[in-house]
Amino acid sequence: MSSKKTGIRAQQADDTRARILTAATQVFAEDGFSGGRIEKISRRARSNDRMIYYYFTSKEQLFIRVLEQVYAEFNQAESAQRFDLSSPLSALDQLVGFVWGYYGQHPEFVSLLNTENLHQGCHARQIENITRLSGEALGNLAPIIRAGQASGQFRQDVNTTHTYLLIASLCYFYHSNLHTLTAFLGQDLAGRPAQDGWLEYIKDQVRRGLLA
């Protein structure tokens, strides 16, 4: 009976932490790190301030955990992709489409990255395994480039990091500046035709950067 109660308490603690992280992700994405209030996170998590400090010690540590989680979720989703390396160009298009789609489907990820860049990456640098996470992201692209080089389709002097930055920037910028660009250009950049057209443009530009 004692071990059963212990198991129930452990599960309740896990559920509480998970609710707090989910609520914190939403609040920080909406209000930024500076504007995100512990009280608002508590209410949304159906918890209380004391439990947040108990599990995460501080608002800063909670934000770091949120960043770590959204990075990890992105990597997990990307790692679940299966690329046909016998067709490097198709695999490259698939990877570009995944990154583009993920940003669009997870606006909280884009918002949190915007917030962290305002703080000059000071929280991201405190994530213990941040370099492992970035290594995994590059590790998904590297085999595609090697396959294209082996088949003679891609240049031999391709820089994997530069290619990753090209993909990330072309996908990220559109989503992170969607509303201001829509107002500035007077075009419906949130509409499907505009977004589909931009995705095809990204694929074309990335191919041009790699083709021999």
Side-chain angles (χ1 to χ4, degrees):
M1 181 64 70
S2 177
S3 61
K4 183 178 180 180
K5 288 182 178 179
T6 301
I8 292 174
R9 284 197 295 270
Q11 183 60 54
Q12 290 173 337
D14 289 343
D15 291 344
T16 300
R17 279 193 293 265
R19 288 201 314 273
I20 291 172
L21 272 175
T22 298
T25 299
Q26 296 169 352
V27 171
F28 286 137
E30 294 167 4
D31 303 332
F33 172 70
S34 299
R37 295 287 179 255
I38 289 294
E39 297 84 356
K40 185 174 181 179
I41 295 171
S42 297
R43 289 195 302 272
R44 195 166 295 189
R46 303 188 310 280
S47 184
N48 57 68
D49 298 358
R50 181 178 59 82
M51 296 305 293
I52 291 179
Y53 290 114
Y54 175 76
Y55 287 121
F56 299 99
T57 70
S58 69
K59 176 181 170 180
E60 182 180 39
Q61 286 302 312
L62 176 57
F63 186 70
I64 291 169
R65 286 293 305 278
V66 165
L67 281 178
E68 183 177 21
Q69 178 168 280
V70 295
Y71 272 122
E73 288 173 348
F74 173 81
N75 278 17
Q76 289 167 6
E78 189 175 42
S79 297
Q81 299 288 304
R82 295 294 175 263
F83 302 104
D84 181 6
L85 297 182
S86 67
S87 179
L89 283 174
S90 295
L92 184 65
D93 284 349
Q94 180 185 339
L95 178 60
V96 170
F98 163 79
V99 176
W100 167 259
Y102 194 91
Y103 285 146
Q105 294 159 15
H106 297 83
E108 75 285 353
F109 187 38
V110 175
S111 295
L112 288 165
L113 294 182
N114 285 344
T115 292
E116 182 57 5
N117 277 296
L118 287 174
H119 290 270
Q120 301 180 341
C122 65
H123 304 100
R125 286 194 294 271
Q126 296 182 59
I127 299 176
E128 292 182 1
N129 61 346
I130 188 70
T131 54
R132 178 184 65 78
L133 293 173
S134 64
E136 290 176 0
L138 292 172
N140 289 315
L141 174 62
I144 298 174
I145 292 178
R146 288 196 297 268
Q149 291 172 327
S151 67
Q153 292 173 281
F154 294 167
R155 301 187 343 252
Q156 295 300 313
D157 62 345
V158 169
N159 184 301
T160 302
T161 299
H162 288 173
T163 304
Y164 180 81
L165 289 173
L166 176 64
I167 295 171
S169 60
L170 290 174
C171 293
Y172 176 81
F173 180 81
Y174 191 104
H175 288 295
S176 66
N177 294 274
L178 176 64
H179 303 295
T180 51
L181 286 173
T182 293
F184 182 70
L185 297 175
Q187 300 177 22
D188 180 18
L189 297 184
R192 179 55 55 193
Q195 296 207 14
D196 288 346
W198 182 251
L199 174 57
E200 291 308 310
Y201 180 78
I202 297 172
K203 291 178 180 178
D204 178 66
Q205 292 301 304
V206 174
R207 283 185 174 211
R208 289 171 184 268
L210 298 184
L211 288 173

